[in-house]
């Protein structure tokens, strides 16, 4: 056993290994861990919990309050669960300006109102100066499963089409541009609640799995799917919706957009015969206008993800081994 590093919180290989070790301690007491972002409970309920530690606390397109509600609500949505209730815990550093805190809370409340989510429980702690970085938020969300067929990694099968709902990496690129003082006038985080985009999809039989591409980005989600479902996944670099500013930040800093975080973009595994229906449904919503089929699930090379490059070659997509960008969500 070693010591934790920032890499253990990046969403890549180290995070994956740490979560499995923690879960193993509960293996005898809980037979329900599925390594999904949202657990489906008896009675048709879904529950999730998440912590938010973004730095800086405000960014183009959002702030930590909006991020905290969107993050948990989206974890429910990608399993076909309508977000209904929210519990929120605040860990604030001594000296944080009250008006700034209320700005974040109004932002969080605005997303709750948009989704019809009720805040039903909460907790507030103030830590001595120096023992926190201004503000951390933890949220636990619960809702009702509305998918007419189960959504989850276990449902993914060879032949499925891989669809992404929009350009990848915008949230991570925004945070990186602020951290490294790169001036971009147009780029905003994609931070947004996904339920309005996803709700119509819950009435379609062809959706097998979905995941919002947060820490670790699209690349890490696909690696987790390939390993857990024991399938191969092949994606086409030129088919992935791209944002020019994301590409610019990635080129300057040496990042791969595949691993940059999204906070309002999701990836789906869909039965091939439902591909056009799902794409048409997504593109009818503003969050899904750039939705695209980017690849397929295969029987070949189980456990691995391959990226067909614009140059015509194929390279392996693997989980990031260390830290990519700290304090991102």
């Amino acid at each position: 056993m070693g010591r934790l590093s920032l890499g253990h919180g990046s969403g890549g290989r180290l995070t994956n290994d740490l979560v499995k070790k923690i879960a193993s301690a509960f293996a005898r007491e809980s037979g329900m861990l599925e390594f999904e972002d949202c657990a489906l409970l008896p009675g048709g309920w879904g529950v999730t919990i998440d912590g938010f530690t973004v730095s800086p606390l405000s960014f183009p397109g959002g702030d930590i309050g909006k991020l905290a509600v969107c993050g948990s609500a989206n974890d429910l949505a990608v399993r076909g669960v309508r977000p209904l209730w929210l519990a929120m815990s605040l860990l604030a550093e001594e000296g944080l300006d009250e008006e700034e805190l209320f700005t974040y809370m109004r932002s969080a409340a605005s997303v709750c109102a948009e989704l019809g989510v009720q805040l039903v429980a909460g907790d507030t702690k103030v830590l001595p100066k120096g023992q926190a970085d201004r503000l951390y938020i933890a949220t636990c969300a619960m809702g009702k499963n509305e998918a007419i067929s189960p959504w989850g990694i276990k449902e993914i099968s060879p032949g499925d089409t891989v669809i992404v709902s929009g350009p990848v990496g915008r949230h991570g690129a925004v945070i990186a541009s602020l951290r490294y003082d790169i001036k971009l006038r147009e780029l905003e985080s994609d931070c947004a609640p996904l339920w309005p985009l996803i709700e119509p999809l819950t009435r379609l039989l062809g959706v097998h799995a979905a995941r919002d591409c947060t820490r670790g980005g699209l690349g890490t989600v696909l690696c987790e799917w390939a390993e857990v479902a024991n399938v191969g996944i092949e994606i086409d670099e030129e088919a992935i919706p791209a944002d020019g500013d994301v590409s610019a930040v990635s080129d300057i800093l040496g990042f791969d957009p595949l691993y940059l975080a999204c906070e309002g973009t999701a990836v789906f595994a869909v039965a091939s015969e439902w591909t056009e229906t799902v794409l048409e449904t997504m593109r009818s919503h503003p969050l899904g206008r750039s939705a695209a089929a980017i690849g397929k699930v295969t029987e070949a090379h189980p456990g691995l993800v391959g990226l067909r490059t614009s140059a015509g070659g194929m390279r392996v997509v693997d989980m990031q081994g260390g830290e990519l960008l700290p304090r991102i969500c």
Side-chain angles (χ1 to χ4, degrees), residues 79-242:
R79 294 211 75 186
V81 175
R82 176 188 291 277
L84 293 173
W85 298 292
L86 183 78
M88 176 184 292
S89 177
L90 305 180
L91 296 172
E93 184 184 22
E94 177 186 23
L96 179 68
D97 184 81
E98 284 191 16
E99 180 52 34
E100 182 181 358
L101 174 64
F102 295 145
T103 297
Y104 302 141
M105 293 301 97
R106 285 191 290 270
S107 183
S110 177
V111 181
C112 286
E114 178 182 346
L115 293 174
V117 169
Q118 289 184 301
L119 179 68
V120 293
D123 180 56
T124 302
K125 298 288 190 301
V126 178
L127 303 177
K129 195 168 185 62
Q131 293 190 11
D133 188 1
R134 306 186 69 213
L135 180 64
Y136 306 143
I137 300 178
T139 50
C140 176
M142 189 170 180
K144 192 70 173 177
N145 188 5
E146 296 192 358
I148 61 174
S149 61
W151 290 13
I153 300 175
K154 293 179 180 176
E155 308 302 321
I156 298 173
S157 60
D160 284 355
T161 302
V162 179
I163 293 175
V164 69
S165 64
V168 300
R170 285 171 50 198
H171 181 71
V174 164
I175 300 301
S177 67
L178 294 172
R179 193 80 49 78
Y180 298 104
D181 198 26
I182 299 172
K183 307 297 184 187
L184 295 169
R185 287 182 296 177
E186 302 294 334
L187 183 61
E188 289 189 350
S189 168
D190 61 342
C191 183
L194 283 167
W195 179 248
L197 168 74
I198 288 177
E199 182 182 14
L201 303 178
T202 63
R203 298 187 282 274
L204 303 179
L205 282 171
V207 180
H208 289 164
R211 182 76 67 84
D212 51 338
C213 309
T214 54
R215 289 179 310 168
L218 173 65
T220 298
V221 171
L222 295 180
C223 288
E224 288 180 358
W225 281 5
E227 290 184 8
V228 176
N230 196 32
V231 296
I233 296 178
E234 297 177 1
I235 56 175
D236 186 342
E237 185 176 32
E238 292 189 338
I240 301 172

Side-chain angles (χ1 to χ4, degrees), residues 5 204 260 272 298:
S5 68
L204 303 179
L260 288 178
S272 59
T298 73

Side-chain angles (χ1 to χ4, degrees), residues 162 164 166-168 218 222 233-243 247 250-251 255-259 292-296 305-315 317:
V162 179
V164 69
V168 300
L218 173 65
L222 295 180
I233 296 178
E234 297 177 1
I235 56 175
D236 186 342
E237 185 176 32
E238 292 189 338
I240 301 172
D243 182 293
S247 300
S250 299
D251 289 344
F255 292 149
D256 185 339
L258 273 183
Y259 300 105
I294 64 169
K296 61 183 179 180
V305 178
L307 174 73
R308 189 171 303 283
T309 67
S310 54
M314 181 74 80
R315 73 172 173 88
V317 177

